Amino acid sequence: MNHDLSHPGARGCVTLVGAGPGDPELLTLKALKAIQAATVLLVDDLVNPAIVALAAPTARVIHVGKRGGCKSTPQSFIEKLMLTAVSEGENVVRLKGGDPFLFGRGGEEVAHLQAAGVRVQVVNGITAGLAAVTSLNVPLTHREHAQGVVFITGHAKPGALGPDWRALATTAHNAKLTLVIYMGMTGAAHIQAELLHGLPAGTPVAIVQNVSLPQQRHATCTLSGLAATITRENLGSPSIIVVGDVIAGVAAVPMAQQWMA
Ligand code: SAH
């Protein structure tokens, strides 16, 4: 479908927009058009303020992330805000980090809005995991090293069990899959221990923090050194952990991001 998001006909609908990993130049043209046409923007934590600044000066910007004004905006409140704005004829953009449909709860929001009879459009963004490996000049599926890739969360829904890391490790080893782990920093020691049940201790790993931003940093190590490297290099969130042979050969020492200098 070919939506003209800047057209006044787009009023009264909600557009979920992927803001990408941070660098405004990684926005799609469709995302930029939607942001510029928005009259109300609901913005998540991980969205770079430089991207929010692309909105019209008259647009109302509401920060709804955990680090925004309040401690944590409940999902139901965000959905209510969107419904109210849309019923007032606003052109609502829900701005989410990376891609709205990868670990972004975009699916829940679309379902809720559609159930209320609201028109919804979704604009893809470059997901952080993809940008993380690309920034190291690593292809996720170099055919010598990997036949596929798994995007996986290290953080389970409250009350739910996390991923079965042991089963995943065995599959990744047998099927030659690259693992791209989101939200894995807090549980890194556990993830490391579990993955070692199915992957060799020497499997290359990269941790990339603040992907695509000027403060991007990374470190590489082997799977058996994952948690220790995070501590030693003082890496924190937001970071992507990449596990697999495609990482072999990436410089071990955090390198300068010359292309961003
Ligand atoms: N929808 C987002 C992911 C949201 S989950 C996307 O597609 O990228 C939040 C997690 O994404 C973080 O805990 C971190 O693992 C990852 N992440 C998001 N932005 C990041 C960035 N700029 N650098 C590194 N990791 C990032």
Side-chain angles (χ1 to χ4, degrees):
M1 229 189 305
N2 208 357
H3 296 291
D4 181 357
L5 298 172
S6 60
H7 193 272
R11 290 183 83 85
C13 81
V14 175
T15 310
L16 266 69
V17 175
D23 179 355
E25 293 197 356
L26 292 179
L27 282 173
T28 65
L29 288 177
K30 208 179 259 287
L32 178 62
K33 275 175 102 175
I35 292 166
Q36 289 173 335
T39 56
V40 173
L41 294 100
L42 286 90
V43 182
D44 267 357
D45 273 342
L46 285 174
V47 175
N48 185 352
I51 288 175
V52 182
L54 298 169
T58 49
R60 189 151 62 94
V61 176
I62 308 168
H63 289 274
V64 292
K66 292 189 187 69
R67 287 166 241 166
C70 32
K71 227 166 73 197
S72 170
T73 314
Q75 194 65 20
S76 56
F77 185 69
I78 297 172
E79 287 161 0
K80 218 165 131 192
L81 274 178
M82 289 196 282
L83 286 180
T84 309
V86 100
S87 70
E88 288 164 356
E90 303 285 2
N91 182 8
V92 181
V93 159
R94 176 78 174 100
L95 205 46
K96 290 174 160 293
D99 185 86
F101 277 173
L102 258 175
F103 310 125
R105 305 187 70 175
E108 292 165 44
E109 293 180 12
V110 168
H112 185 86
L113 291 163
Q114 283 179 337
V118 172
R119 279 188 310 136
V120 186
Q121 305 170 68
V122 184
V123 178
N124 284 123
I126 295 182
T127 187
L130 190 57
V133 282
T134 302
S135 73
L136 304 178
N137 288 344
V138 166
L140 274 172
T141 58
H142 191 299
R143 65 179 186 170
E144 309 255 311
H145 303 300
Q147 289 173 326
V149 53
V150 176
F151 293 98
I152 189 153
T153 174
H155 185 83
K157 208 171 122 178
L161 281 176
D164 184 342
W165 296 105
R166 294 186 189 195
L168 183 67
T170 305
T171 307
H173 189 53
N174 294 339
K176 293 175 117 193
L177 304 176
T178 306
L179 304 182
V180 180
I181 305 170
Y182 292 65
M183 294 172 273
M185 296 301 272
T186 314
H190 169 72
I191 293 170
Q192 170 187 327
E194 293 295 296
L195 286 180
L196 282 170
H197 286 271
L199 281 167
T203 306
V205 172
I207 308 118
V208 196
Q209 183 176 5
N210 289 319
V211 172
S212 85
L213 294 167
Q215 64 272 33
Q216 175 172 333
R217 297 171 61 219
H218 82 270
T220 57
C221 55
T222 57
L223 184 54
S224 57
L226 170 61
T229 303
I230 289 172
T231 308
R232 192 188 60 240
E233 299 292 335
N234 198 20
L235 289 159
S237 288
S239 287
I240 293 288
I241 301 170
V242 190
V243 181
D245 288 340
V246 294
I247 294 300
V250 173
V253 182
M255 62 182 184
Q257 296 295 308
Q258 287 118 333
W259 54 275
M260 285 190 294

